[in-house]
Structure formats: structure tokens, C-alpha cells
Amino acid sequence: MTGSPDLSPAAAAVDPFDVVRQVLDLVRLNGAIFFRSDFRAPWAYTSPPAAELTGALPPGPGSLVMFHVIAEGSCWISVGDGAPREVSAGDVVVMPYGDRNAWGSREAADPVPITTLLPPVPWTEFPRIEHGGTGERTQVVCGYLRGDAVLFDPVLRALPSLFVVHPPPGPAADWVRASIDFALA
């Protein structure tokens, strides 16, 4: 039948990078690496909503979208009162609404506020957090994007409060790895 939609399971599958490309086409984005973290198990922290971190972020118009790249190791993350989600090296964690969140190692630890781990502003060098015990290492590169009216676009409002993208092998993964290496250097 000509003109009929393809309802096969393969057609229903959504490529997360297609979604990201569509989102980037809708808004003008700018941003930067915010800080890098070197955690050793056991560790855990809580972070307030992005709006409460504005003193640590450069001012600017538009909505904040927080992202985190797991450079090494693994950990869990939860947003709001949601269930923890495991993430590992190579994963890109995106929080389009900058909701309150918590992170930690597989080994239990009492969470501390992230604001107590950050150096005071203004920063004279690239901020780095070192926190936790002497166990397994997890490195995270944290950043933000600022976009024109991000939260008011109906397509963007359909995004979940947390999503994880693991770049497939090839140029996208190579670019993410090179960006991580650059940020860690």
C-alpha cells in the first residue's frame, strides 16, 4: 500500500542521536564544561536544581540543560525522587530541566551537598572535585548548555527529566572520547 505508515518494530525504534539532532535544530545552544570530578568509592552527593547553581555558572539568557559524561568507572544517578539508574564509562547523562539529583558509588555513602565540594567562585582555574574514599575510581565531566526557550518548546518538554545516551562505535563515540580526554587534560 502506497502512503501507509510503516508500523513495524524496526520503524518504531527511535535513534537517540536523531532525537538529539532534532533538538539541536530547534534551539540555539551554547555552553561549556562546568567542572570535572574524581570520585573514589564510597561516595555520594546531592545537587540542587540547576537554578540554584546560577552563582557558579556564567550568567546568560535561556534555559539550562545539565549534562555529564562518565569518563571512567561507573556509578548511579537519580533525579528527583526517581529510582537510581546505573551509568558507566562512555555514557552521556542529560538532564534537560536541571532537576534536583543525586549520584553515588555502588558502595553506600552518606550524600553531601555538591555545593560543599565546589571551590568558591570566582574560579581562577578549571574547577575539579575530589571526593570519597580509597575504592573504585569514577571520573565525571560535568557541563551545561544554555538554549533559547528550551523549556517552552513542546518537543523538548516531551523529553524525560533524565536520559542517558551511549554513543555507538564510530565518529560520534570518537568525538565524545576526544572531548572527555581534552576536558580531563
Coordinates of all heavy atoms in Angstrom, one line a residue, residues 51-92:
A51 N 18.8 25.9 38.7 CA 18.5 27.3 39.0 C 19.2 27.8 40.3 O 19.6 28.9 40.4 CB 17.0 27.5 39.1
E52 N 19.4 26.8 41.2 CA 20.1 27.2 42.5 C 21.6 27.2 42.3 O 22.3 27.5 43.3 CB 19.7 26.2 43.6 CG 18.2 26.4 44.0 CD 17.8 25.5 45.1 OE1 18.6 25.1 45.9 OE2 16.5 25.2 45.1
L53 N 22.2 26.8 41.2 CA 23.6 26.8 40.9 C 24.0 28.0 40.1 O 25.2 28.1 39.7 CB 24.0 25.5 40.2 CG 23.9 24.2 41.0 CD1 24.2 23.0 40.1 CD2 24.8 24.2 42.2
T54 N 23.1 28.9 39.9 CA 23.4 30.0 39.0 C 24.6 30.8 39.4 O 25.3 31.4 38.6 CB 22.2 30.9 38.8 OG1 21.7 31.3 40.1 CG2 21.1 30.2 38.0
G55 N 24.9 30.9 40.7 CA 26.1 31.7 41.2 C 27.4 31.1 40.7 O 28.4 31.7 40.6
A56 N 27.3 29.8 40.4 CA 28.5 29.1 40.0 C 28.6 29.0 38.4 O 29.7 28.7 37.9 CB 28.6 27.7 40.5
L57 N 27.5 29.3 37.7 CA 27.5 29.3 36.3 C 27.5 30.7 35.7 O 27.0 31.6 36.3 CB 26.2 28.6 35.8 CG 26.1 27.1 36.1 CD1 24.7 26.6 35.8 CD2 27.1 26.3 35.4
P58 N 28.2 30.9 34.6 CA 28.2 32.2 34.0 C 26.7 32.6 33.7 O 25.9 31.8 33.2 CB 29.0 32.0 32.7 CG 29.8 30.8 32.9 CD 29.0 29.9 33.8
P59 N 26.4 33.9 33.9 CA 25.0 34.3 33.6 C 24.8 34.4 32.1 O 25.7 34.4 31.3 CB 25.0 35.8 34.2 CG 26.4 36.2 34.2 CD 27.2 35.0 34.4
G60 N 23.5 34.2 31.8 CA 23.1 34.3 30.3 C 21.7 34.0 30.2 O 21.0 33.5 31.1
P61 N 21.2 34.4 29.0 CA 19.7 34.1 28.7 C 19.5 32.7 28.4 O 20.4 32.0 28.0 CB 19.5 35.0 27.5 CG 20.8 35.1 26.8 CD 21.8 35.0 27.9
G62 N 18.2 32.3 28.5 CA 17.8 30.9 28.1 C 17.8 30.0 29.3 O 18.2 30.3 30.4
S63 N 17.4 28.8 29.0 CA 17.2 27.7 30.0 C 18.5 26.9 30.1 O 19.3 26.8 29.1 CB 16.1 26.8 29.6 OG 14.9 27.5 29.5
L64 N 18.7 26.3 31.2 CA 19.9 25.5 31.5 C 19.6 24.0 31.3 O 18.6 23.5 31.7 CB 20.4 25.7 32.9 CG 21.3 26.9 33.2 CD1 21.6 26.9 34.7 CD2 22.6 26.8 32.4
V65 N 20.5 23.3 30.5 CA 20.4 21.9 30.4 C 21.7 21.4 30.9 O 22.8 21.7 30.4 CB 20.2 21.5 28.9 CG1 20.3 20.0 28.7 CG2 18.9 22.0 28.4
M66 N 21.7 20.5 31.9 CA 22.9 20.0 32.5 C 23.2 18.7 31.8 O 22.4 17.9 31.5 CB 22.7 19.7 34.0 CG 22.2 20.9 34.8 SD 23.3 22.3 34.7 CE 24.7 21.8 35.7
F67 N 24.6 18.4 31.6 CA 25.0 17.1 31.0 C 26.2 16.7 31.8 O 27.0 17.5 32.4 CB 25.2 17.2 29.5 CG 26.5 18.0 29.1 CD1 27.7 17.4 29.1 CD2 26.4 19.3 28.8 CE1 28.8 18.1 28.7 CE2 27.5 20.1 28.5 CZ 28.7 19.5 28.4
H68 N 26.4 15.4 31.8 CA 27.6 14.8 32.5 C 28.0 13.6 31.6 O 27.2 12.8 31.1 CB 27.1 14.2 33.9 CG 26.4 15.2 34.7 ND1 27.1 16.1 35.5 CD2 25.1 15.6 34.8 CE1 26.3 16.9 36.1 NE2 25.1 16.6 35.7
V69 N 29.3 13.5 31.5 CA 29.9 12.4 30.7 C 30.7 11.6 31.7 O 31.6 12.1 32.4 CB 30.9 13.0 29.6 CG1 31.5 11.8 28.8 CG2 30.1 13.9 28.7
I70 N 30.4 10.3 31.7 CA 31.1 9.4 32.6 C 32.4 9.0 31.8 O 32.4 8.3 30.8 CB 30.3 8.1 32.9 CG1 28.9 8.5 33.4 CG2 31.0 7.2 33.9 CD1 28.8 9.4 34.5
A71 N 33.5 9.5 32.3 CA 34.8 9.3 31.7 C 35.5 8.0 32.0 O 36.2 7.4 31.2 CB 35.8 10.5 32.0
E72 N 35.2 7.6 33.3 CA 35.9 6.4 33.8 C 35.0 5.8 34.9 O 34.4 6.6 35.7 CB 37.3 6.7 34.3 CG 38.0 5.5 34.9 CD 39.4 5.9 35.5 OE1 40.0 6.8 35.0 OE2 39.8 5.2 36.4
G73 N 34.9 4.5 35.0 CA 34.2 3.9 36.1 C 32.7 3.8 35.9 O 32.2 3.9 34.8
S74 N 32.0 3.7 37.0 CA 30.6 3.6 37.0 C 30.0 4.1 38.3 O 30.7 4.3 39.2 CB 30.1 2.1 36.8 OG 30.5 1.3 37.8
C75 N 28.7 4.4 38.2 CA 28.0 5.0 39.4 C 26.5 4.9 39.1 O 26.1 4.4 38.1 CB 28.5 6.4 39.7 SG 28.1 7.6 38.4
W76 N 25.7 5.5 40.0 CA 24.3 5.6 39.9 C 23.9 7.0 39.9 O 24.6 7.9 40.5 CB 23.5 4.8 40.9 CG 23.8 5.1 42.3 CD1 24.7 4.5 43.2 CD2 23.3 6.2 43.1 NE1 24.7 5.1 44.4 CE2 23.8 6.2 44.4 CE3 22.3 7.2 42.8 CZ2 23.5 7.1 45.4 CZ3 22.0 8.1 43.8 CH2 22.6 8.1 45.1
I77 N 22.8 7.3 39.3 CA 22.2 8.7 39.4 C 20.7 8.6 39.6 O 20.1 7.6 39.0 CB 22.5 9.5 38.1 CG1 21.8 10.9 38.2 CG2 22.2 8.8 36.9 CD1 22.2 11.9 37.1
S78 N 20.1 9.5 40.3 CA 18.7 9.5 40.4 C 18.3 11.0 40.3 O 19.0 11.9 40.7 CB 18.1 8.9 41.7 OG 18.6 9.7 42.8
V79 N 17.1 11.3 39.7 CA 16.6 12.6 39.5 C 15.3 12.7 40.3 O 14.5 11.8 40.3 CB 16.4 12.9 38.1 CG1 15.6 14.2 37.9 CG2 17.7 12.9 37.3
G80 N 15.2 13.8 41.1 CA 14.0 14.0 41.9 C 13.9 12.8 42.9 O 14.9 12.4 43.6
D81 N 12.7 12.2 43.0 CA 12.5 11.1 43.8 C 12.6 9.8 43.0 O 12.1 8.7 43.5 CB 11.2 11.2 44.5 CG 11.2 12.3 45.5 OD1 12.2 12.6 46.1 OD2 10.1 13.0 45.7
G82 N 13.1 9.8 41.8 CA 13.2 8.6 40.9 C 14.1 7.6 41.4 O 15.0 7.8 42.3
A83 N 14.0 6.4 40.8 CA 14.9 5.3 41.2 C 16.3 5.5 40.6 O 16.4 6.1 39.5 CB 14.3 4.0 40.6
P84 N 17.3 5.0 41.3 CA 18.7 5.2 40.8 C 18.8 4.4 39.5 O 18.2 3.4 39.2 CB 19.5 4.5 41.9 CG 18.7 4.5 43.1 CD 17.3 4.4 42.6
R85 N 19.7 5.0 38.6 CA 20.0 4.4 37.3 C 21.5 4.2 37.2 O 22.2 5.2 37.5 CB 19.5 5.3 36.2 CG 19.8 4.8 34.8 CD 19.0 5.4 33.8 NE 19.4 4.8 32.5 CZ 18.9 5.2 31.4 NH1 18.0 6.2 31.3 NH2 19.3 4.6 30.2
E86 N 21.9 3.0 36.8 CA 23.4 2.8 36.6 C 23.9 3.4 35.4 O 23.2 3.4 34.3 CB 23.6 1.3 36.6 CG 23.4 0.6 37.9 CD 24.5 0.7 38.9 OE1 25.7 0.8 38.5 OE2 24.2 0.8 40.1
V87 N 25.0 4.0 35.4 CA 25.7 4.6 34.3 C 27.2 4.2 34.3 O 27.7 3.9 35.4 CB 25.6 6.1 34.2 CG1 24.1 6.5 33.8 CG2 26.0 6.8 35.4
S88 N 27.8 4.1 33.2 CA 29.2 3.7 33.2 C 30.0 4.5 32.1 O 29.4 5.2 31.3 CB 29.3 2.2 32.9 OG 28.7 1.8 31.7
A89 N 31.3 4.2 32.0 CA 32.2 4.9 31.1 C 31.7 5.0 29.7 O 31.2 4.1 29.2 CB 33.6 4.3 31.1
G90 N 31.7 6.2 29.2 CA 31.2 6.5 27.8 C 29.8 7.0 27.8 O 29.4 7.6 26.8
D91 N 29.0 6.8 28.9 CA 27.6 7.3 28.9 C 27.6 8.8 29.0 O 28.4 9.4 29.7 CB 26.9 6.7 30.1 CG 26.5 5.2 29.9 OD1 26.5 4.8 28.7 OD2 26.2 4.6 30.9
V92 N 26.7 9.4 28.3 CA 26.4 10.9 28.4 C 25.0 11.0 29.1 O 24.0 10.5 28.6 CB 26.4 11.5 27.0 CG1 26.1 13.0 27.1 CG2 27.7 11.3 26.3

